[in-house]
Amino acid sequence: MRATRDATSWEPAQRWVPDSVWIERTEENSPLARRVQARLPGALTYVTDDLTAAEPGDSFAAGKRRLVVQRHRGSFLQHCPAGTTGMVCCNYLVMNFGSNCPFDCSYCFLQEYLANNPALKVFTNVADGLAEVDRLLRAHPERTFRIGTGELADSLALDHLTDLSCELVPFFAARTNALLELKTKSDCIENLLRLDPQDRVVVSWSVNAPAIIAAEEAGTTSLEARVAAAARVQAAGYKVGFHFDPLIAHDGWEEGYRDAINVIFGRLDTRRVAWVSLGSLRMTGRLKAAIKARPQRGPLLTSELVPGPDGKDRVWRGLRVKMYRRLLEWLRVVDERMPLYICMEPAGVWEKVFGDAPADREVAHRLVAARP
Ligand code: SF4
């Protein structure tokens, strides 16, 4: 079910419910496990010492129907993988409080990255993750960090089960040298509306042309529903952001992306938009094979892809630059001061699109400084 197109009457999309819940025995009485059980009273639930049974090696889609509640071992914080070979880096940090996502975008890199462990996971030891962030922020009071939870998971799609945002938002609201980004394709914002972000939280939506959302983003909310949710959180004091990523060259792409920009920014206060990013389709051989094995195919793989310096294939540089420039042109008509960046692109593409290529860390400085 998709949320209503009329954003003035709010009808949230149906919330995700798993087929089964697997809880690590030592975590059974953790606050998170208790919340999940209370929110899913009729769910088929296993409390176990051995979570391998939750990953029996069946299909990726079947794995996405299981919810695992467990302790996270190792570091919660990682550097965004964009800071790899030959790409301009925006010094973004990712914090993983779970992995995988209930939606089913055909281009999703998690099909490759989590191919062997696709169950949706949520981690119980949130306090350990926040302690790690706290140590980092205290060690570098001179820097402002951008930290997001939407790299290996959708930041909000499970919030109706976990209330994770109720721990993250107050934590970041009390800090002065970090911005939290919650990135989503859901409209699961009810908790956010009850919290005060103190200008330290950006809620962002990955967006696309409506034809691509319909063909390639199964289970996600419509563009109108994402914008309606953005308008509501903006009115509640949050900054918002948008990621046109992946841009996909399809029949009518210019009209599609221009219409999406009009739908999005026609309803929002652009002065409270923290950033907008653009990125192109990035593909590895294994991801391409996973996409080809899907039962239905949209326009995703119709363009010719060429290898990049980071080992990922993209559409050829001339077309990428053309698409970035067109979107930039339309975005600057909306607001000439809109903070913009392109994601996972080399300096040469930045120069063609923006006229210059920022040095290391400079992207982050520009974005934070643009809308302090
Ligand atoms: S919303 Fe993001 S994480 Fe979820 S399936 Fe789509 S691309 Fe993957």
Side-chain angles (χ1 to χ4, degrees):
M1 181 172 72
R2 290 185 185 266
T4 176
R5 296 175 71 85
D6 176 4
T8 54
S9 60
W10 177 253
E11 183 195 332
Q14 192 172 344
R15 301 296 178 229
W16 180 76
V17 174
D19 290 343
S20 58
V21 179
W22 300 72
I23 300 174
E24 187 174 22
R25 191 178 305 283
T26 56
E27 305 305 299
E28 186 181 6
N29 291 314
S30 64
L32 180 55
R34 283 174 176 268
R35 270 198 299 277
V36 168
Q37 290 178 88
R39 306 272 163 90
L40 296 169
L44 180 61
T45 302
Y46 304 91
V47 178
T48 176
D49 293 315
D50 180 13
L51 289 171
T52 54
E55 311 272 16
D58 52 0
S59 71
F60 193 75
K64 273 179 175 256
R65 299 291 314 149
R66 292 186 281 268
L67 178 64
V68 173
V69 182
Q70 68 172 107
R71 193 170 184 78
H72 179 63
R73 278 93 182 164
S75 175
F76 283 82
L77 270 174
Q78 292 173 1
H79 206 282
C80 167
T84 51
T85 335
M87 300 294 151
V88 171
C89 173
C90 70
N91 268 89
Y92 191 76
L93 296 179
V94 294
M95 224 178 1
N96 297 317
F97 287 107
S99 68
N100 216 341
C101 148
F103 305 134
D104 186 28
C105 302
S106 58
Y107 52 75
C108 181
F109 84 105
L110 297 180
Q111 294 172 98
E112 173 189 0
Y113 193 78
L114 299 175
N116 298 325
N117 47 357
L120 269 78
K121 297 189 177 67
V122 290
F123 302 135
T124 51
N125 46 333
V126 176
D128 292 344
L130 294 181
E132 202 178 319
V133 176
D134 190 50
R135 286 193 293 276
L136 176 75
L137 302 188
R138 286 177 190 277
H140 299 281
E142 77 291 354
R143 287 178 58 187
T144 296
F145 293 87
R146 295 164 63 235
I147 304 177
T149 58
E151 178 73 10
L152 297 184
D154 184 289
S155 296
L156 293 173
L158 301 191
D159 212 48
H160 61 297
L161 301 177
T162 65
D163 288 350
L164 179 60
S165 64
C166 299
E167 297 186 61
L168 298 186
V169 172
F171 175 89
F172 281 88
R175 267 103 192 139
T176 54
N177 65 329
L179 285 175
L180 168 68
E181 180 175 33
L182 299 171
K183 195 190 296 183
T184 190
K185 285 185 186 133
S186 81
D187 62 352
C188 200
I189 55 164
E190 287 86 343
N191 279 334
L192 298 182
L193 301 179
R194 293 189 281 269
L195 300 165
D196 180 357
Q198 294 284 328
D199 241 12
R200 309 314 301 175
V201 181
V202 178
V203 189
S204 69
W205 277 266
S206 298
V207 288
N208 222 302
I212 297 299
I213 292 176
E216 310 287 356
E217 298 184 353
T220 64
T221 51
S222 66
L223 181 64
E224 289 84 355
R226 295 178 211 184
V227 176
R232 284 170 68 91
V233 298
Q234 197 181 56
Y238 293 83
K239 292 175 180 160
V240 297
F242 294 93
H243 301 282
F244 287 85
D245 195 345
L247 293 177
I248 294 171
H250 60 285
D251 283 347
W253 68 262
E254 293 190 77
E255 294 76 19
Y257 286 114
R258 194 175 47 211
D259 288 352
I261 287 171
N262 290 336
V263 168
I264 294 166
F265 297 103
R267 297 213 43 212
L268 297 167
D269 178 354
T270 58
R271 294 166 303 177
R272 299 279 301 159
V273 173
W275 49 68
V276 176
S277 79
L278 310 176
S280 70
L281 186 63
R282 302 173 281 280
M283 195 69 65
T284 62
R286 285 176 60 199
L287 180 54
K288 211 180 293 179
I291 293 168
K292 284 184 173 161
R294 294 172 65 90
Q296 286 167 351
R297 244 178 288 158
L300 198 61
L301 294 180
T302 48
S303 303
E304 190 186 344
L305 303 176
V306 293
D310 57 354
K312 293 182 180 138
D313 296 351
R314 295 165 169 79
V315 295
W316 63 286
R317 177 184 287 222
L319 179 55
R320 291 186 346 252
V321 168
K322 177 179 176 182
M323 294 181 82
Y324 294 147
R325 281 184 172 162
R326 294 296 280 152
L327 269 84
L328 238 56
E329 194 183 300
W330 300 322
L331 287 163
R332 284 191 168 139
V333 169
V334 170
D335 182 342
E336 62 181 11
R337 294 169 59 84
M338 190 89 80
L340 301 163
Y341 66 102
I342 50 178
C343 189
M344 287 201 182
E345 288 289 3
V349 172
W350 274 81
E351 282 159 10
K352 289 221 175 307
V353 174
F354 291 103
D356 71 341
D360 193 29
R361 289 196 191 171
E362 205 191 319
V363 185
H365 285 314
R366 284 186 194 178
L367 291 172
V368 170
R371 298 280 154 91

